[in-house]
Amino acid sequence: MKKIIVTIIFLSSNLLLSQTLFQKITNQPLVQDNAYGSGCAWGDYNNDGKLDLIVTSYNDFGPSIYPRLYKNVGNGNFQLVTNSSVMTNSLYQTLACAWGDYNYDGKLDLFISTGFNQPDLLYKNIGGGNFIRVTDCSPVTAPGHSGGIAWADYNRDGYLDIFVPQHGTNLLYKGLPNGQFQQITTGPIVTDVGIHRRGTWGDYNNDKYPDLFVANGDFQNDNLYLNNRNGTFTKITTGAIVNSPGYGSGCSWGDYNNDGWLDLFVANSGPNFLYKNNRNGTFTKIATGSIATDANNSFGCSWGDYDNDGDLDIFVANNELQKNSLYRNEGGDNFVKITNDIVVNEVSSSASWGDYNNDGKLDLFVVNQGYGTSAENDFLYKNVNAHPFYIIIKLFGGGIGTRIKIRIGNYIAIREVSGGNSCSSQDMPWVHFGLGFLGDNPTATIDSLIVDWHDGNREVLTNVSINQVIEFHGIISVQQTSSEVPSKYSLYQNYPNPFNPSTTINYDLVKNSHVKLKVYDISGSEISVLVDELQSYGTYSVKYNASNLASGVYFYKLQTEGFTDTKKMILVK
């Protein structure tokens, strides 16, 4: 795409390099709470259409600093939430944070990793802006020094799993249908010993299963684990990506050259690493340009198309009095270092991109750890100069691990929803594409928009208008959970019940049958067809998302050649 409009890109590049890109916001509580920032994550926890923010704190030198939750109240304003259980724990050194809907109810839950042999924290979102701390599941009962958190559905069963990098051996928890987790104790991910600092999931070989990269400290080689698509992983031992010792503090997948394959950036103390995906399971280490030769004490790194030109740029947070870096993507392997904007004139430890004012431009929040015993305010930068063309996709429950692809003529771009990346932080779950390369034609359309959900389902839209936000609620997920022959036909009560907005329906088949499972309203009108197909004997589980329905009483009916049953369920919003 760059070659087609090379003259336009050249002119706009010079123009943007001389213009103010961001405005520093100084009058909001999220940049006035003098603290020791560690991680941050944008997420709409109350489902009001505005991005809220969680910030963690790491304090070696003074009293405990609680995580801080900021509610977006609109018009660019935030308020500190003071009555939430997220704010009332007594733990210090809450390092990393990431939002994820682990119980698939459409509400973002929150995981916070901690240090110095403290238990990690899991907060279940119960609606109404409220959380309860979960204390009875395996991810929050084992103390350790957790440097990060990365959600993923690595076995594509529809339930989010949790990876926690630790000094020593890592922790991996498989999500279960009942909202619990099973700790995985075998395999290289959890048996390799090292100074594991950060980890991030990404499907780098395009087989629709997320793989895992782990950045290590103390100039140890980093780790890359290939998903074998059967619940196990293979450790990759060849190539520069796992044979380049560094002191990794952040890592982030992103397709910077728009070839449909995920590339990788690793932030280090010393030169950072940029790996280009060779599209054959290997990577080329980029060795030229400031993006690969700058030697700073880099911590956080986040891909984002801040100028809306259609290419991913990257922000790198540098610590220890070294100024932050922003590299603008010029196409190919070429990046230009921005040197004259407020975002690169200050020092930080991590960052997260998010469109907090809903204008289609990526804004930037940066956390600051402070120095010695001195705390420091965090930074919020409002994007004021990006091209106005964009598309944003919102996915039910955040959609972690879901891949979005857009096609406009010969231009193709992909994004994957991250379950945690950078240095202890997570970018917004809403998927953002800049479309400034379309010029000045507001009636231009996207040829196709493809949503490949993390559980294997796919949705496709064609001829999509630009400059809008599109919401996807997913499609019916039907899974055979057992192939054993049940003793009898059964239709079970949905759970949870009452529910909002998703619930699970299970049933048993004693022989191969044509199965119909439908939902009806109180008047008997058919609302949804969940199943209408031939199925073999066994036990089945169906996830039903009723986010498009009003509160009320509904009925679901299972019908086979030898069995019919109906049960009632209640939707409460």
Side-chain angles (χ1 to χ4, degrees):
M1 193 65 195
K2 289 288 185 183
K3 293 181 180 179
I4 297 175
I5 52 173
V6 62
T7 304
I8 298 175
I9 292 299
F10 178 78
L11 294 174
S12 62
S13 174
N14 288 338
L15 181 62
L16 284 172
L17 289 173
S18 64
Q19 290 182 340
T20 298
L21 306 176
F22 294 89
Q23 173 189 351
K24 186 176 181 179
I25 304 300
T26 59
N27 63 347
Q28 294 298 315
L30 73 173
V31 294
Q32 296 174 338
D33 286 348
N34 205 38
Y36 302 86
S38 178
C40 59
W42 294 104
D44 182 11
Y45 77 87
N46 55 359
N47 286 337
D48 66 351
K50 300 184 290 291
L51 284 176
D52 313 296
L53 187 74
I54 181 71
V55 183
T56 55
S57 291
Y58 179 101
N59 181 16
D60 280 329
F61 307 100
S64 298
I65 303 293
Y66 302 138
R68 303 182 306 284
L69 179 62
Y70 299 99
K71 178 182 177 181
N72 188 334
V73 296
N75 297 320
N77 296 309
F78 292 83
Q79 62 180 213
L80 180 67
V81 179
T82 58
N83 60 347
S84 171
S85 60
V86 176
M87 301 279 290
T88 57
N89 77 80
S90 59
L91 299 179
Y92 70 108
Q93 295 200 8
T94 53
L95 297 176
C97 51
W99 301 99
D101 180 15
Y102 78 91
N103 56 348
Y104 200 75
D105 64 353
K107 300 184 287 292
L108 290 179
D109 311 299
L110 178 65
F111 192 95
I112 297 177
S113 66
T114 66
F116 283 82
N117 291 316
Q118 301 176 110
D120 294 326
L121 303 169
L122 176 61
Y123 294 98
K124 180 181 178 181
N125 190 332
I126 59 175
N130 300 309
F131 296 84
I132 57 173
R133 181 179 171 185
V134 178
T135 59
D136 62 348
C137 66
S138 53
V140 295
T141 56
H145 185 82
S146 302
I149 157 66
W151 298 95
D153 181 11
Y154 74 80
N155 54 357
R156 289 185 53 174
D157 64 353
Y159 301 99
L160 286 182
D161 315 300
I162 297 174
F163 171 76
V164 180
Q166 292 210 330
H167 293 183
T169 55
N170 299 314
L171 301 173
L172 179 63
Y173 302 97
K174 182 174 69 173
L176 303 176
N178 60 359
Q180 293 292 314
F181 294 85
Q182 174 189 346
Q183 184 172 358
I184 304 301
T185 58
T186 59
I189 288 179
V190 296
T191 57
D192 283 347
V193 177
I195 307 299
H196 309 298
R197 290 171 59 81
R198 309 290 181 258
T200 184
W201 299 90
D203 177 17
Y204 77 86
N205 60 348
N206 284 356
D207 67 351
K208 301 186 184 300
Y209 281 76
D211 312 294
L212 179 65
F213 178 85
V214 178
N216 297 324
D218 283 359
F219 299 97
Q220 300 176 353
N221 286 331
D222 298 323
N223 301 128
L224 179 63
Y225 301 98
L226 174 68
N227 193 326
N228 296 323
R229 300 187 293 180
N230 60 3
T232 68
F233 294 83
T234 296
K235 182 179 181 179
I236 303 300
T237 58
T238 58
I241 196 169
V242 292
N243 289 286
S244 299
Y247 201 98
S249 291
C251 46
S252 185
W253 296 100
D255 179 19
Y256 74 82
N257 55 357
N258 289 334
D259 66 352
W261 298 74
L262 290 179
D263 312 296
L264 181 71
F265 186 89
V266 183
N268 290 302
S269 292
N272 298 315
F273 301 151
L274 176 61
Y275 298 104
K276 181 171 69 173
N277 194 323
N278 295 326
R279 300 185 287 182
N280 60 3
T282 68
F283 293 82
T284 295
K285 187 177 181 181
I286 303 301
T288 59
S290 57
I291 192 171
T293 59
D294 282 349
N296 298 314
N297 191 37
S298 298
F299 270 51
C301 54
S302 295
W303 295 101
D305 183 7
Y306 78 86
D307 53 1
N308 279 355
D309 71 344
D311 296 318
L312 284 177
D313 316 294
I314 195 163
F315 177 84
V316 180
N318 300 320
N319 209 331
E320 295 184 2
L321 303 181
Q322 295 169 329
K323 293 181 179 180
N324 297 325
S325 302
L326 178 63
Y327 301 96
R328 183 175 186 271
N329 191 334
E330 289 289 298
D333 300 327
N334 301 311
F335 290 82
V336 171
K337 186 176 182 178
I338 304 299
T339 59
N340 60 347
D341 196 79
I342 185 64
V343 295
V344 296
N345 287 323
E346 299 180 293
V347 179
S348 305
S349 58
S350 191
S352 175
W353 295 104
D355 179 16
Y356 78 87
N357 56 353
N358 291 337
D359 65 352
K361 305 179 181 70
L362 289 180
D363 311 299
L364 186 67
F365 184 82
V366 176
V367 293
N368 299 302
Q369 193 171 346
Y371 304 96
T373 58
S374 300
E376 189 178 359
N377 284 329
D378 298 323
F379 302 146
L380 175 63
Y381 302 106
K382 178 183 176 181
N383 192 325
V384 296
N385 204 29
H387 194 283
F389 289 0
Y390 68 94
I391 190 80
I392 287 179
I393 296 94
K394 296 182 181 180
L395 304 170
F396 174 81
I400 287 173
T402 299
R403 176 177 287 198
I404 315 294
K405 177 191 287 187
I406 65 170
R407 181 188 296 272
I408 304 172
N410 293 327
Y411 173 85
I412 298 175
I414 65 169
R415 304 283 189 270
E416 275 192 9
V417 182
S418 172
N421 63 342
S422 187
C423 177
S424 308
S425 296
Q426 179 189 36
D427 294 322
M428 71 171 182
W430 303 345
V431 177
H432 167 270
F433 292 90
L435 303 174
F437 61 86
L438 293 174
D440 297 316
N441 179 16
T443 63
T445 59
I446 298 170
D447 296 338
S448 63
L449 189 159
I450 302 171
V451 179
D452 283 315
W453 286 87
H454 61 92
D455 59 4
N457 290 311
R458 168 176 281 197
E459 295 184 76
V460 180
L461 294 179
T462 57
N463 297 321
V464 180
S465 299
I466 65 173
N467 287 6
Q468 65 167 320
V469 176
I470 301 178
E471 297 187 13
F472 287 85
H473 296 277
I475 56 182
I476 304 303
S477 176
V478 182
Q479 181 182 13
Q480 185 175 14
T481 58
S482 173
S483 58
E484 296 182 2
V485 181
S487 59
K488 62 178 181 178
Y489 285 104
S490 296
L491 176 64
Y492 297 97
Q493 187 64 51
N494 66 299
Y495 68 90
N497 189 43
F499 67 99
N500 177 28
S502 291
T503 190
T504 299
I505 300 170
N506 292 329
Y507 56 90
D508 294 332
L509 303 177
V510 299
K511 65 178 182 179
N512 299 349
S513 307
H514 189 95
V515 178
K516 293 182 180 180
L517 180 62
K518 298 182 179 181
V519 177
Y520 302 86
D521 64 17
I522 193 69
S523 68
S525 298
E526 182 180 300
I527 298 297
S528 300
V529 177
L530 309 186
V531 178
D532 187 0
E533 64 184 16
L534 180 65
Q535 294 181 332
S536 60
Y537 57 80
T539 299
Y540 289 81
S541 179
V542 178
K543 292 180 181 178
Y544 178 50
N545 181 347
S547 57
N548 60 330
L549 300 180
S551 297
V553 175
Y554 295 88
F555 298 91
Y556 57 99
K557 179 180 179 180
L558 178 69
Q559 184 175 6
T560 75
E561 296 165 2
F563 176 79
T564 300
D565 194 10
T566 302
K567 292 189 181 298
K568 180 173 69 175
M569 58 184 177
I570 302 174
L571 173 62
V572 178
K573 292 187 174 182

